Amino acid sequence: MASPGRGLVGRPDAGFSTDGEEGLAQAYRNYAPLVFTVALRALHDRQAASDATQEVFIRAWRFRSGYDPAAGSLPGWLLGITRNVVSDALSARLRRDRLDHLAVALGDHRAAGPGNEAIEALADRVVLDAELRMLGEPQKSILELAFYEDLTHQEIAKRLHMPLGTVKSHIRRSLTHLRSRLEAWHAAP
């Protein structure tokens, strides 16, 4: 069996990129404790450190052709990958924490009492405006006239100089599209 830091063929770290899965298994046996320790110190969570360790070796396997023993040691290369994985994990944790904080703040804000209806209406308007912009023309103009000016189909057709059937078709298709987009938005974690 090769000693830590040595590949299966006897040269330092040479076996990792050339010995296939056995080289990866040997590298894992030799360096997973080091990677785990570094990840644990940075993440302060055993499960996150375990996940990071697994991700490091997945990336090492995926990008094994980029490892050059002449450029540096295998532990150094793996620790570079570890640094990137830990950075990604910390960024993801920060995003989750911000979203959790916003969700709690929004939940508290909704429960705060008077004036919430105006805030809810404004939030709905912002979401609806963004979705309408994504529809494009003439659907955007047709739905704006229907939603914001409360015009009938006939009034919209007259104002936009379009056949009534075309206006109705655009409204039906656009509402179906908006419904599916908004359902997906509300279902998203």
Side-chain angles (χ1 to χ4, degrees), residues 1-97:
M1 181 186 283
S3 63
R6 294 202 174 269
L8 297 176
V9 294
R11 291 184 301 136
D13 307 325
F16 176 74
S17 59
T18 60
D19 291 337
E21 291 179 20
E22 183 56 37
L24 175 66
Q26 184 67 40
Y28 186 85
R29 284 189 294 273
N30 291 339
Y31 303 114
L34 173 66
V35 169
F36 178 81
T37 301
V38 170
L40 182 60
R41 285 183 181 164
L43 298 171
H44 306 289
D45 179 329
R46 293 188 74 76
Q47 183 59 49
S50 179
D51 293 345
T53 301
Q54 182 178 9
E55 179 63 23
V56 166
F57 284 93
I58 289 170
R59 289 185 190 184
W61 177 253
R62 188 176 299 143
F63 301 108
R64 66 191 177 277
S65 64
Y67 171 64
D68 178 10
S73 69
L74 182 58
W77 186 68
L78 290 171
L79 288 175
I81 295 172
T82 304
R83 183 176 47 245
N84 291 332
V85 169
V86 165
S87 177
D88 293 348
L90 289 172
S91 295
R93 181 187 294 171
L94 183 60
R95 282 191 303 274
R96 278 192 313 272
D97 289 349

Side-chain angles (χ1 to χ4, degrees), residues 148-165:
Y148 301 138
E149 295 188 32
D150 203 25
L151 298 181
T152 66
H153 294 167
Q154 291 172 337
E155 292 168 329
I156 294 169
K158 185 175 180 181
R159 182 171 296 178
L160 296 177
H161 308 287
M162 296 177 87
L164 179 59

